[in-house]
Amino acid sequence: MQYKNLEELIEVIRTLRSENGCPWDREQTHSSLRPNMLEEAYEAVDAIDENDLPHLREELGDVLLQVLLHSQIADEEGAFDIEDVAKELKDKLIHRHPHVFGNTKVKNADDVVVNWDKLKQEEKKERTSQMDGISKSQSALMTAQKISKRAVKVGFEWDKVETLWDCVNSELREFKEAVEEGNKTHMEDEMGDILFAVVNLARWHKLDAEQCLISANRKFEKRFRKMEELATKPLTEYSFEEFDQLWRKAKKETQE
């Protein structure tokens, strides 16, 4: 299989960064492109959530653009190029799939994950703590999930779900006490404990807390938009009781 378009795309990026290329592209650095990498990745995820394949194709192209730009900049600095990126990824995938490219036997996907983690640990010998290697740029919710899962891998787990529920309820009580004290710093601390405990509750039940919140956000936005459609006067003029009735009606009409 030939990858003519991919090769031509790499050359396009090289041209854009050249002396006679685009002034904007020439000015970019790894740091300046950081927001673009995040934005394009999120837009690709949006396309996945919408199950919009033409949109996904476009957004994956935008993600690829970021990869190629960073690789070209690194090439100009003498650090690495896109070929090095591809080789490192290829070698990693082959090494971490010995059940495909070697003689290791696995029974199911769970075995694959166990082997992957073991091989990754062997590769990253500089990491001495379970907390090493966790991204500092991802959302706090995703970080909480990762921290929780890493701790569980070495046996730091609740003995039973009832104990976890006790922890959640205890954190709620402690937050209420902080509110009564009027101490904002204490309130922030206890709210963080509530959120972390709830993330553990989601993990215990094999739920992705990030996806749960994304779904909740989407559901609330949909119902609020329906409220705006159903409103017979400006929302700012609604009383609590009227809002409650309007919300119930919007909820009923947006049930899927």
Side-chain angles (χ1 to χ4, degrees), residues 42-215:
Y42 280 125
E43 289 180 0
V45 171
D46 285 343
I48 292 172
D49 291 341
E50 295 162 3
N51 194 29
D52 187 337
L53 295 185
H55 187 201
L56 177 59
R57 180 178 60 196
E58 176 187 358
E59 296 304 337
L60 287 176
D62 291 341
V63 172
L64 178 58
L65 170 60
Q66 299 306 308
V67 173
L68 293 176
L69 276 170
H70 282 285
S71 298
Q72 178 59 32
I73 293 171
D75 188 16
E76 294 163 9
E77 296 173 347
F80 60 82
D81 60 17
I82 189 62
E83 181 68 12
D84 297 320
V85 173
K87 182 181 185 304
E88 185 163 331
L89 176 58
K90 178 202 69 176
D91 292 346
K92 180 194 297 183
L93 290 175
I94 291 174
H95 182 242
R96 293 189 187 177
H97 290 82
H99 53 289
V100 177
F101 302 103
N103 300 318
T104 300
K105 302 297 182 182
V106 295
K107 296 179 181 178
N108 49 45
D110 289 339
D111 283 355
V112 173
V113 173
V114 170
N115 283 340
W116 179 283
D117 288 340
K118 182 180 179 181
L119 290 167
K120 185 176 181 180
Q121 189 173 19
E122 291 174 358
E123 294 169 10
K124 309 289 185 179
K125 293 181 179 179
E126 73 279 4
R127 296 180 181 177
T128 58
S129 168
Q130 286 292 322
M131 300 296 113
D132 288 343
I134 297 176
S135 172
K136 297 178 176 60
S137 301
Q138 63 189 2
S139 73
L141 190 59
M142 293 175 69
T143 299
Q145 289 186 121
K146 181 71 74 172
I147 289 173
S148 178
K149 290 178 180 179
R150 291 281 188 90
V152 169
K153 282 183 179 179
V154 295
F156 191 69
E157 176 64 296
W158 304 94
D159 59 341
K160 53 187 177 181
V161 72
E162 289 78 13
T163 309
L164 179 49
W165 273 112
D166 289 342
C167 175
V168 172
N169 291 324
S170 174
E171 299 299 352
L172 287 168
R173 288 193 299 271
E174 290 177 10
F175 176 72
K176 186 176 179 181
E177 291 172 1
V179 171
E180 292 171 351
E181 293 173 4
N183 186 323
K184 187 174 181 180
T185 300
H186 190 192
M187 288 164 59
E188 290 176 346
D189 186 49
E190 296 302 340
M191 177 56 71
D193 290 344
I194 290 173
L195 295 173
F196 194 81
V198 170
V199 165
N200 274 278
L201 187 62
R203 177 193 51 75
W204 181 283
H205 291 287
K206 302 187 184 306
L207 299 173
D208 185 303
E210 181 82 6
Q211 289 302 315
C212 291
L213 187 55
I214 288 172
S215 297

